[in-house]
Amino acid sequence: CSVDMVMTFGLFNMIVAIFIENVLARAKTNEELIKRKRLSNEKYFADKMTEFVAEIIDCKEAVEGRCGIGTRPSARGIVESAADIQITPEIFQEVRSRPKAMDILRDLDVSDEDSMNMFETLDAD
């Protein structure tokens, strides 16, 4: 009788474990699909990159001791302003110190560890 009970208990444990494993695998797959779909949305990506470039411009002005006019220019204005910016390590560190900029990078699935090495990776010199 006790052997049957132990066997039944073990069998149900195996069934529950398999069920939970399948649920977790499916959840992970769904999360990856949502992430891929979000990043493939070109407008979303363009908007996030525009926000990030605007943060870089704000940081450059802060490092140089200049203040912006307080209003955010249009996407076209941001791109035109960014065309001649040279990003120094100091400016990039200022960007990384801002929570909004780091949130934008996380939204673009750039991990904190990868963002630390981003300047060296993108630096042309």
Side-chain angles (χ1 to χ4, degrees), residues 19-119:
F19 176 75
I20 290 174
E21 183 179 349
N22 287 337
V23 167
L24 291 176
R26 180 72 177 167
K28 184 177 181 182
T29 302
N30 284 343
E31 182 179 314
E32 289 174 1
L33 289 173
I34 290 168
K35 193 182 296 186
R36 220 178 289 147
K37 186 176 180 180
R38 181 172 36 107
L39 290 177
S40 68
N41 182 345
E42 290 181 20
K43 180 166 177 22
Y44 175 83
F45 183 77
D47 290 345
K48 287 296 178 180
M49 288 305 296
T50 302
E51 288 178 42
F52 188 65
V53 170
E55 283 297 310
I56 291 172
I57 292 168
D58 290 346
C59 289
K60 182 179 187 308
E61 290 174 350
V63 167
E64 293 176 349
R66 294 186 292 153
C67 292
I69 58 175
T71 59
R72 193 61 54 112
S74 67
R76 182 182 206 97
I78 290 171
V79 170
E80 289 171 358
S81 297
D84 59 348
I85 286 182
Q86 232 178 348
I87 301 173
T88 63
E90 294 80 23
I91 293 171
F92 191 74
Q93 283 306 96
E94 176 68 21
V95 170
R96 287 197 70 250
S97 71
R98 294 188 176 199
K100 183 176 180 185
M102 293 305 293
D103 287 342
I104 293 168
L105 288 176
R106 282 187 211 101
D107 288 344
L108 293 170
D109 291 325
V110 177
S111 68
D112 291 342
E113 297 82 22
D114 289 340
S115 71
M116 289 186 330
N117 300 323
M118 188 182 277
F119 183 79

